[in-house]
Amino acid sequence: MIQSITLPMTPEVRLNLKAGDLVKLSGVLYTARDAAHKRLIELLKKGMELPMPIRDQVIYYVGPSPAPAGRIIGSAGPTSSYRMDSYAPALLDLGLSGMIGKGLRSPEVVEAMKRNGAVYFGAVGGAAALIAQTITQAQVIAFEDLGTEAVRRLTVRDFPAVVLIDSRGNSLYETGPAQYGAHA
Amino acid sequence: MRTVDVSEISQAVRRMYLEMNVAVLPDVRGAVEKALADEASPAARYALSQIRDNYDVSARTGLPLCQDTGMAVLFITAGQDVHFAGGDLYQAVQQGVRDAYRDGYFRKSIVSEPLFDRKNTGDNCPAVIHLSLCPGEKVHILAMAKGFGSENMSRVFMLAPAAGEEGVLNAIVSAVRDAGPNPCPPVIVGVGIGGNFETAPLLAKKATARPLGVHHRDERYAALEKKALDRINALGIGASGIGGLTTALWVSAEYAPTHIAGMPVAVCICCHASRHGEVTL
Ligand code: SF4
């Protein structure tokens, strides 16, 4: 069964999600990868305002390919999340409700997720053209000079994802392979 | 002596990159469809069906298969009786890559300096070019677009000869196990055994372009490939690393002569978005 989830996520919704749940996400989210995270954290350190809301919001780790004429965005699959690990806890402590990416997270990120009741979703790496079809609006809202790494506000409909790590810290990366591996 | 105008090389390179970034290779598609048919995990099936559907969306829309359209890597084998005319061969190759990444709306992912500035070159150049000579008048080009999610998980092991077959298998399996979900499994694993510190990875990278389903001609290496594939798939990492029966679609190994004191093993991990093309001019 695939659950439909509305973004941004209320605390009730995200606390109910469990590692391994298959979902389709609809609503608004923000994109940011390494360079944008670095700037967001610098703004926070200076006590300045961030260019987008954080509370209850979801950040998607993606650097899309350029949009051809007539399209709102190019291919837009997830990038490896570990490169955002040193920045993520500060955003989670500001109320970030979820992240979408691929790959493992550090114990510090998982602790910050548990502390704040947040969820880590996985999108399928390499399903980038398919994912682009679920993006109905895209607008660069900050750091335009970063090109593909600029912060974008996306509206998505039925964006396919899976709950990799839930708000209690359970990880599909541990339970999944343990279930399907051969224990010789 | 045959004269080849370097503009022909530019055009061939451009064509190959425009195609490989958008059109899935038939052998890769077949292997993914088989993995989907065999998969027991619902989550891995969800991932594999997206990977398969993505091929059709790419073909229909012209959007690249993956937003990471990679670093361009080319193996060029030129006949020694070929005279390249009309300009600098290396520049002609770069021009072909530049044109393809501009015309295809592909992502430009190359920075000019790795440590301090990390400034994007804006045209996905320079490509990595390996040029070698062979007898004759032909020019063969093997071109690849290599994503870095999987490149970052590739490894070189300088094993002792006594490590034997078991040591090689352990090296291969440990590289895939440590990579976990990061290289976008299901992966294709290229293995280079022998040579030295710089040639083993070249063998491994070239091996990732061997058609899936084709084993090494030496049956001992073919058996090694089979054992490695079985052990990798017993890890249970699965598509997207979320648990499943297919972690690797294929393992291809190549070997080269080496020193009496060593046994280098390079493991090149390539994601399911394996993009390459070949042409003989
Ligand atoms: S590892 Fe391959 S499939 Fe995954 S994001 Fe990189 S290029 Fe795409």
Side-chain angles (χ1 to χ4, degrees):
Chain A
M1 204 206 50
I2 300 172
Q3 302 178 53
S4 289
I5 301 293
T6 303
L7 307 179
M9 280 191 294
T10 61
E12 299 74 60
V13 168
R14 61 213 215 208
L15 292 174
N16 271 324
L17 286 170
K18 287 186 291 300
D21 286 354
L22 309 183
V23 296
K24 288 198 163 166
L25 308 172
S26 299
V28 168
L29 52 78
Y30 295 90
T31 73
R33 34 177 293 160
D34 322 33
H37 271 81
K38 188 158 176 251
R39 290 202 190 169
L40 292 174
I41 299 303
E42 278 163 10
L43 287 175
L44 279 181
K45 278 192 187 137
K46 287 189 203 139
M48 288 162 76
E49 221 182 298
L50 298 186
M52 79 271 219
I54 296 295
R55 180 155 301 281
D56 296 341
Q57 304 295 327
V58 170
I59 290 182
Y60 179 24
Y61 301 143
V62 60
S65 63
R71 295 203 166 270
I72 52 173
I73 200 162
S75 289
T79 193
S80 296
S81 307
Y82 68 87
R83 298 193 316 271
M84 270 56 76
D85 280 358
S86 57
Y87 308 117
L91 298 175
L92 290 163
D93 286 337
L94 287 176
L96 185 71
S97 75
M99 302 155 287
I100 310 173
K102 68 174 178 101
L104 303 169
R105 305 309 302 262
S106 69
E108 291 74 23
V109 172
V110 178
E111 274 315 306
M113 287 174 56
K114 285 159 71 174
R115 190 158 70 231
N116 296 290
V119 176
Y120 174 43
F121 296 104
V124 177
L130 178 87
I131 290 170
Q133 304 308 297
T134 71
I135 300 170
T136 59
Q137 287 180 49
Q139 189 192 358
V140 172
I141 58 158
F143 315 144
E144 192 157 9
D145 59 300
L146 293 180
T148 184
E149 299 211 38
V151 171
R152 288 171 173 80
R153 182 179 193 272
L154 302 185
T155 307
V156 297
R157 196 190 310 127
D158 292 338
F159 179 114
V162 49
V163 178
L164 292 174
I165 304 178
D166 63 28
S167 60
R168 280 165 294 278
N170 302 310
S171 172
L172 184 60
Y173 284 143
E174 284 158 24
T175 55
Q179 190 179 347
Y180 291 95
H183 307 285
Chain B
M1 176 78 83
R2 171 174 169 233
T3 300
V4 173
D5 197 283
V6 294
S7 65
E8 254 187 79
I9 305 283
S10 299
Q11 284 159 20
V13 168
R14 174 178 174 276
R15 267 198 306 276
M16 281 192 285
Y17 280 98
L18 282 174
E19 176 162 353
M20 78 177 80
N21 275 305
V22 173
V24 66
L25 293 159
D27 56 334
V28 175
R29 185 188 188 115
V32 164
E33 280 172 353
K34 181 173 183 305
L36 177 57
D38 295 347
E39 186 53 71
S41 151
R45 273 208 302 273
Y46 191 45
L48 287 165
S49 64
Q50 288 177 50
I51 290 170
R52 185 210 43 204
D53 294 346
N54 186 59
Y55 301 146
D56 300 325
V57 177
S58 273
R60 198 173 68 234
T61 59
L63 291 177
L65 292 160
C66 186
Q67 78 287 340
D68 183 357
T69 41
M71 189 169 199
V73 181
L74 299 103
F75 292 89
I76 303 176
T77 314
Q80 63 189 24
D81 296 329
V82 173
H83 169 229
F84 289 106
D88 179 328
L89 173 66
Y90 286 97
Q91 288 310 320
V93 172
Q94 304 293 357
Q95 191 61 45
V97 170
R98 186 176 297 121
D99 291 348
Y101 278 72
R102 179 195 60 227
D103 297 347
Y105 293 90
F106 301 153
R107 202 178 76 185
K108 289 78 179 171
S109 310
I110 305 305
V111 296
S112 55
E113 182 275 330
L115 182 55
F116 299 107
D117 309 329
R118 296 197 63 85
K119 196 172 170 327
N120 198 302
T121 59
D123 59 2
N124 218 51
C125 291
V128 176
I129 303 171
H130 302 288
L131 183 60
S132 56
L133 291 176
C134 68
E137 295 196 321
K138 295 219 162 80
V139 182
H140 180 263
I141 306 175
L142 166 62
M144 303 175 165
K146 187 69 167 69
F148 253 58
S150 54
E151 187 78 347
N152 282 337
M153 299 295 125
S154 299
R155 296 285 179 267
V156 181
F157 303 83
M158 301 305 283
L159 299 184
E165 187 179 4
E166 201 51 35
V168 174
L169 284 166
N170 281 338
I172 300 168
V173 174
S174 75
V176 177
R177 182 196 294 117
D178 293 350
N182 292 339
C184 292
V187 293
I188 293 154
V189 183
V191 185
I193 307 168
N196 65 2
F197 183 69
E198 79 269 9
T199 56
L202 284 173
L203 287 173
K205 181 151 284 176
K206 265 189 154 169
T208 63
R210 192 201 297 160
L212 308 186
V214 176
H215 276 298
H216 198 280
R217 62 212 165 274
D218 180 326
E219 61 192 33
R220 295 166 304 171
Y221 283 86
L224 179 84
E225 291 169 347
K226 285 183 201 143
K227 275 183 223 164
L229 183 62
D230 286 348
R231 289 200 200 176
I232 289 169
N233 285 334
L235 293 172
I237 293 170
S240 276
I242 53 182
L245 302 179
T246 302
T247 302
L249 299 171
W250 197 250
V251 178
S252 294
E254 296 293 342
Y255 72 85
T258 190
H259 189 277
I260 49 171
M263 186 168 62
V265 176
V267 182
C268 180
I269 299 185
C270 182
C271 54
H272 63 81
S274 166
R275 293 152 292 184
H276 51 88
E278 277 183 77
V279 70
T280 304
L281 296 171

